[in-house]
Amino acid sequence: MSDTNEPILKFGIPKGSLQDATIALLEKAGWKIRQYHRNYFPDVNDKELKISMCRAQEMSRYVSDGTLDLGLTGKDWIQENESDVHVVSDLIYSKVSNRTASWVLAVAGDSPYQRPEDLAGKKISTELVGCTKRYFENAGIPVEVEYSWGATEAKVVEGLCDGIVEVTETGTTIKAHGLRIIAELMQTNTRMIANKEAMADPWKKKKIDQINMLLTGALDAESLVGLKMNVPGDKMDDIMDELPSANSPTIAHLHNSDWLSVEIVVAQSIVRDLIPKLHAKGAQAIIEFTLNKVI
Amino acid sequence: MSDTNEPILKFGIPKGSLQDATIALLEKAGWKIRQYHRNYFPDVNDKELKISMCRAQEMSRYVSDGTLDLGLTGKDWIQENESDVHVVSDLIYSKVSNRTASWVLAVAGDSPYQRPEDLAGKKISTELVGCTKRYFENAGIPVEVEYSWGATEAKVVEGLCDGIVEVTETGTTIKAHGLRIIAELMQTNTRMIANKEAMADPWKKKKIDQINMLLTGALDAESLVGLKMNVPGDKMDDIMDELPSANSPTIAHLHNSDWLSVEIVVAQSIVRDLIPKLHAKGAQAIIEFTLNKVI
Amino acid sequence: MSDTNEPILKFGIPKGSLQDATIALLEKAGWKIRQYHRNYFPDVNDKELKISMCRAQEMSRYVSDGTLDLGLTGKDWIQENESDVHVVSDLIYSKVSNRTASWVLAVAGDSPYQRPEDLAGKKISTELVGCTKRYFENAGIPVEVEYSWGATEAKVVEGLCDGIVEVTETGTTIKAHGLRIIAELMQTNTRMIANKEAMADPWKKKKIDQINMLLTGALDAESLVGLKMNVPGDKMDDIMDELPSANSPTIAHLHNSDWLSVEIVVAQSIVRDLIPKLHAKGAQAIIEFTLNKVI
Amino acid sequence: MSDTNEPILKFGIPKGSLQDATIALLEKAGWKIRQYHRNYFPDVNDKELKISMCRAQEMSRYVSDGTLDLGLTGKDWIQENESDVHVVSDLIYSKVSNRTASWVLAVAGDSPYQRPEDLAGKKISTELVGCTKRYFENAGIPVEVEYSWGATEAKVVEGLCDGIVEVTETGTTIKAHGLRIIAELMQTNTRMIANKEAMADPWKKKKIDQINMLLTGALDAESLVGLKMNVPGDKMDDIMDELPSANSPTIAHLHNSDWLSVEIVVAQSIVRDLIPKLHAKGAQAIIEFTLNKVI
Amino acid sequence: MSDTNEPILKFGIPKGSLQDATIALLEKAGWKIRQYHRNYFPDVNDKELKISMCRAQEMSRYVSDGTLDLGLTGKDWIQENESDVHVVSDLIYSKVSNRTASWVLAVAGDSPYQRPEDLAGKKISTELVGCTKRYFENAGIPVEVEYSWGATEAKVVEGLCDGIVEVTETGTTIKAHGLRIIAELMQTNTRMIANKEAMADPWKKKKIDQINMLLTGALDAESLVGLKMNVPGDKMDDIMDELPSANSPTIAHLHNSDWLSVEIVVAQSIVRDLIPKLHAKGAQAIIEFTLNKVI
Amino acid sequence: MSDTNEPILKFGIPKGSLQDATIALLEKAGWKIRQYHRNYFPDVNDKELKISMCRAQEMSRYVSDGTLDLGLTGKDWIQENESDVHVVSDLIYSKVSNRTASWVLAVAGDSPYQRPEDLAGKKISTELVGCTKRYFENAGIPVEVEYSWGATEAKVVEGLCDGIVEVTETGTTIKAHGLRIIAELMQTNTRMIANKEAMADPWKKKKIDQINMLLTGALDAESLVGLKMNVPGDKMDDIMDELPSANSPTIAHLHNSDWLSVEIVVAQSIVRDLIPKLHAKGAQAIIEFTLNKVI
């Protein structure tokens, strides 16, 4: 359907738990992706892109062998596949908490196991067989590692295995199953990865940079807000003392007045402490607003 | 889980019809509350708070006896329980309309009852037994007041009672049951209430003030918007005449120009009348934007 | 219910596929419409309006005969009904894509028909019987046109007719049924239409203008965003070269600095290309924000 | 897909409100119909049948012109289309009540109209335009009849027309809209109709008879149950007096006993009165069981 | 709506958790109840009945004072209300398990309380305030009993009370909250209760008996099945030894054969053990079928 | 929780697509399984059983090593795991069609591949890696087989592999993706498998036989129905000619009559042809009823 003379960047989006969050983030960044039933290449409003929906587990294979130029997947599955790809950036977002997740070793809460070495000779169930094997090999602990098709936590409870290696953001699900975490194998987060030959192609490199800048800008904006307030000229120094130093404020004189208009982008997480302080120091008409992108 | 040396404010959130609206409002204010299945103390991203989910009907009991330091509940249930608490603020928001609600006395549309005294000797069904009894006692009207487990409106229709005392925001549900309102017993809205001893503790008092300032600021922002426009210098006075006097606009000179940039926060409800007037007086590039908080 | 001395504008909103999008757009414009079960005249927070929910197919009849003063409906159904109404404005929005839609003539993908004239003597199924008949009459092609109660695409597949005339935004549904489009009969989009006598009444004319201005402003805002950035004074000309000429930016001096604050409203669709260029030319602290209305 | 030498009966099933009930009834009768997404000819486990899903409104057209051999549709739409078809049988079933439905003339509850003639010169809205016009013409009452795309009841309430002709089983929806029924135009129920040439083809006639026998048997079974009981020989005459005469019971001697086993098929609706009487007359071990088909 | 000369039995059905199960059971018994939106007296296909939907908690009040003639509610709420009614029968069915339920006293799993007396001076939260107070008074244990609007289990966990009295069928929910049961206050199940004057009215008494017979027969049938098998004449005694003695089988000679047909109604719960035994003893063609009613 | 002296059979039920069908079948057979949230050993109303929910893919591993005594899983996964287990029986049921399913080799509909050997040197994606590798090795065709985490059909369409090996009952999903089946690798259906040591334990063997008899009886009953009819004595031979020979009918004399009562269990699939024939030969009062079990 696309003219063969037009360059195209083949971009893989992860299916499954991260899919909706990824599509929403790309829309904020400026690319609208529409999936039609039984249309495997979702529409995107950019004729320079061809989108594929792939399992996160398989993504790095396809980026590595050039089936895709660019992909979003977890650091964990890149390592599991031992894929040779260029890491463009780390993007910390998730279905739940926008935190990094961890693969952890967990055992029954009432089991005697306290450290990984206590599992020598035991059976470990996991979806991440390769990394798990390498972890125990490096530690010199002989274990049997078995591929698990899912519901891995339940296997310890049912006595189908002795320990599991499973991914978690908050530990809640693992604790809710009555399990106890005894080691962390690896932290993971979403990564933008590119095929190495694609990175050597100037057109593709530039397109990847564009996507990365906008996607990063949209992701950053999710944890930031804009604050705007009016400040009497003589209180400006006091106010400046309270503002985080990272982002310098935009300050303008108000018309026919000694007051200044102060506008600044700050982390959403500090606002509830910052506003009372600014108010106490004399800032007035403080408004907070949402940002789509911050570059 | 929390170190006993760290001060903690115990904060009760009402379960049920207001729960989602309250959690959304707290998130806008800066506190993210996450409820896990079977976790009775929801997580909150503030280690100085411990959140409990309680029935609105029972909240004031717990605040009064110090089980909680702070709570959100209706004025109606505070009076029903005759609880001795400190009222921090009134917060007018609801599941439906952000208006205050009323407890009203209603009878069958085709009944002969026109005034409360017509119900002398009759049976009244209500969930608000205490306030209803006091209302009729003060009026010197002898009635039988019976506790209703719900679906109170239907009881009049089915002939199970003669009148009901029920809460309503718009009267729609009551009318839809073919009932007629003959008196208003009390108006009610959400109140932030605090334990009196907690108010005397400086750390708790300051924490309560912070929550109140941010929650009020987030609630106020829901009915306000920001407007920004460019105005020719010589039309500025005309434009000022149209702007509501309560909030003074932020006015700045534009670069190399006689035009001024005017920014103002106004009630959303007046915008549809204000914009045509501003436009007619010469304002240009008028944009409206949403606010998260206005302090 | 309304005092007969107060003027009222009777405004028809289309039921069905556009209903939710229309109500959302009106809310952004400043009118909150609430539909109660079995209340045929939805509530609106403007006592000068009376809202009716009507089928798009029937709207122009009611506007034409004065049952309604103002209505939103498709250009297609205005033509189908050959209604004599005043077109206030075209509003390009939809459930799906905010594009105009087309009524097209489609046949089975594996049929021999290539042009409309190939269907001479054949049966055409459509909901738009009048326009379809006129189209074929104008082209001098004799066909049988039959009213279809829905699921029109399937009729070609099942051999119940030879061709269909159906509406489509993207062609996706038609292709998904294995059909082939061989002609476009008409493009259509939502129109605001008014009764001609209502347009001659000054009060109604002014009310219609207000609704049109705010609705258009809210609709425009959906495809626009605000950008704000800080620019070094000596880079300002470079930056200006990149900005689209249609909307002039609002530029202000920053306090005690050579930098300028630049704010502009641009089409959302160009942002992903514009931001990298602005950044490359020296713009900093670029933020993008959403707009409710742009007048 | 089917060999052209094998005879096939083309059978139309009504889409929409009756679709699920019809497919369930056919399954009870012995034909399993499975609809795959985008498969317009649903699968059926009988290679002698080809099933089409059609609108009830259009069915009789297709049966009349031989596009289909057999179809299920309403008596109302057969008359509306004035289709020349063979009526195989009447099947009284529905989504709601397994009663016949009626098309009635209804007006606003508070309107002055009491009889059809009161509507002379007025506007009637209906989906059944043809029958409605003929009804008023036969009665010599001049009215304007307008096609309604749905939500017809609401049109009277909103003042868009003076009366409606609408279908109803129980009158509940009409009354719930505050309308009053002033005349019944026609009763309707589902009919099995066949193309007249198909009825003249012996193979098709036999296939149609088979479908009719089994479908009727399955439908009859829905309102019947089996009862089985043990009766002392000397009470048999008393018991016989209570049993409905239409269906003669199956009576067998019990082994080594004077007791008889009595089994009978009766209308479900009389069971609650019949069982207490049988029990009072000495029947024991009365069991009731469900029937799939009764031929 | 009903002629005042026709006798009517006013029958109350419990709203809420048992509602669907009750309506389904009544349908099996022979009464179809249809609830229309906003129709407080549901339709029933028996003009001798008038159905009301009432809270189980309030039912016995209405039966006691004659507002209703007959009602279904829990033994617990009859006792809570101390209502003077005639108990027609006990009906053991439920939303979950068709077992009786119990009101139990439960405390936090890790609390020191082991017996009711350990709660002397403590706070008990319950919806069943009256019975709970009487229980502790009878035991001479002073406690504070507080009405709970729901989610009672959570209150112990959150420290809002020391113990709860709550209803449970299996204990699962209570254990899932980490609570420990330390006493059972009362067992409860659904009861059919009648007004005492209604029982003295011969027509009402007979109607109540009919409803009770059919409802009991339908309920019994839920735990029973029919078994039918062919047995060689000489094995009949062996087979008889295996059959439960309560229900005598229906035995008939087969035509031109030494075999007997044996039919029996047995508890569903014993079938999985009974069938292998019958099969081992020579029974053949064993079929099991469902029963609607067993009287 | 269970006394160690009581023998227990550990029985594995497959999670996922077959789970609901399996639990429903076991309930018909006589075992009620109730799954509580976060209870990994579902409750079963038989203290001789302990139920585990396992992935079908992993079941045979656990049965083979004695973690479970008995399990239900697919023949395919038993072979994939090369597990050494005792096959108790084949149970042909499924979520969809109660037919056996097949693992097939499929390629893009427009690809040049016609036979397995055409895929030499190509990439095959499948969840059934072991069987697929063995299949191609046996055929002497060198291919690359890659584990697929799901959505395997889409991979051919997206160009991520050249062929797939996937399971299908009807081929519908494969065709709907535009793929073409070029070979069948294996047929599969659910199997009841037992641990070999468990089969040697008399108590466990007997329990397994009981489960197998009842489960098979319940499954058989799904495709059978009971027919009962009255037949004149002199037509009995004619009727017998029509009845399938496999199941001999139960025939009894009717009381005081020359008629016979004939009862027979037949395949549901032949009923629609059988009933018209029986009716034509003189059978009357033919009723069809459902069976729970047929042993």
Side-chain angles (χ1 to χ4, degrees), chain F residues 261-272:
Chain F
S261 162
V262 180
E263 189 165 354
I264 189 164
V265 170
V266 298
Q268 197 173 19
S269 58
I270 68 160
V271 166
R272 70 184 188 217

Side-chain angles (χ1 to χ4, degrees), chain B residues 3 43 98-99 152 154 185 238 265:
Chain B
D3 188 315
D43 267 11
N98 286 9
R99 299 195 237 172
T152 311
L185 277 70
D238 276 10
V265 170

Side-chain angles (χ1 to χ4, degrees), chain A residues 74-253:
Chain A
K75 184 179 150 188
D76 43 6
W77 291 105
I78 304 167
Q79 294 197 7
E80 178 73 6
N81 290 325
E82 302 183 282
S83 299
D84 182 31
V85 295
H86 176 84
V87 177
V88 180
S89 60
D90 282 274
L91 297 164
I92 316 292
Y93 71 102
S94 81
K95 192 175 49 164
V96 182
S97 67
N98 286 9
R99 299 195 238 172
T100 58
S102 296
W103 285 87
V104 297
L105 175 62
V107 297
D110 56 1
S111 74
Y113 313 124
Q114 301 297 334
R115 297 164 310 161
E117 41 271 50
D118 297 343
L119 285 158
K122 302 297 179 186
K123 199 197 290 184
I124 308 293
S125 206
T126 185
E127 200 191 351
L128 199 75
V129 168
C131 291
T132 300
K133 282 185 173 166
R134 286 194 290 276
Y135 170 84
F136 280 100
E137 280 164 17
N138 291 344
I141 307 166
V143 295
E144 182 187 351
V145 180
E146 216 170 50
Y147 181 74
S148 168
W149 269 263
T152 312
E153 289 92 346
K155 283 176 185 151
V156 172
V157 186
E158 297 182 23
L160 303 178
C161 64
D162 304 290
I164 62 166
V165 171
E166 187 51 312
V167 71
T168 182
E169 282 183 40
T170 62
T172 303
T173 305
I174 285 179
K175 280 174 217 150
H177 282 75
L179 304 192
R180 186 159 36 83
I181 295 173
I182 61 173
E184 182 186 81
L185 276 71
M186 120 172 47
Q187 293 201 338
T188 186
N189 54 254
T190 301
R191 286 192 151 166
M192 184 181 287
I193 55 173
N195 177 271
K196 292 195 165 173
E197 288 180 31
M199 287 302 285
D201 173 321
W203 182 88
K204 290 188 174 178
K205 167 91 171 55
K206 192 176 168 198
K207 188 77 195 171
I208 290 168
D209 286 348
Q210 179 202 19
I211 294 170
N212 189 38
M213 174 186 278
L214 277 302
L215 210 52
T216 304
L219 185 56
D220 287 351
E222 295 199 343
S223 59
L224 298 170
V225 290
L227 286 187
K228 191 160 184 176
M229 68 206 82
N230 292 340
V231 175
D234 57 357
K235 302 275 179 63
M236 195 59 218
D237 289 346
D238 275 10
I239 295 288
M240 286 298 286
D241 288 349
E242 293 296 344
L243 297 179
S245 55
N247 309 57
S248 61
T250 297
I251 303 170
H253 264 288

Side-chain angles (χ1 to χ4, degrees), chain C residues 15 38 40-41 53 55 57-58 61-62 67 127 146-149 151 154-155 157-158 160 176-177, chain D residues 15 38 40-41 53 55 57-58 61-62 67 127 146-149 151 154-155 157-158 160 176-177:
Chain C
K15 265 185 193 162
R38 291 201 36 230
Y40 304 110
F41 302 107
M53 307 300 301
R55 293 261 155 181
Q57 292 95 324
E58 302 171 345
R61 283 190 207 157
Y62 302 130
T67 307
E127 201 191 350
E146 214 170 55
Y147 181 72
S148 168
W149 268 263
K155 283 176 185 151
V157 186
E158 297 182 23
L160 303 178
H177 282 76
Chain D
K15 264 184 195 162
R38 291 202 36 231
Y40 303 111
F41 302 107
M53 308 300 301
R55 294 259 154 182
Q57 291 96 326
E58 301 171 347
R61 282 189 208 158
Y62 302 130
T67 306
E127 200 191 352
E146 213 170 55
Y147 181 73
S148 167
W149 269 263
K155 283 177 187 150
V157 187
E158 297 183 22
L160 304 179
H177 283 76

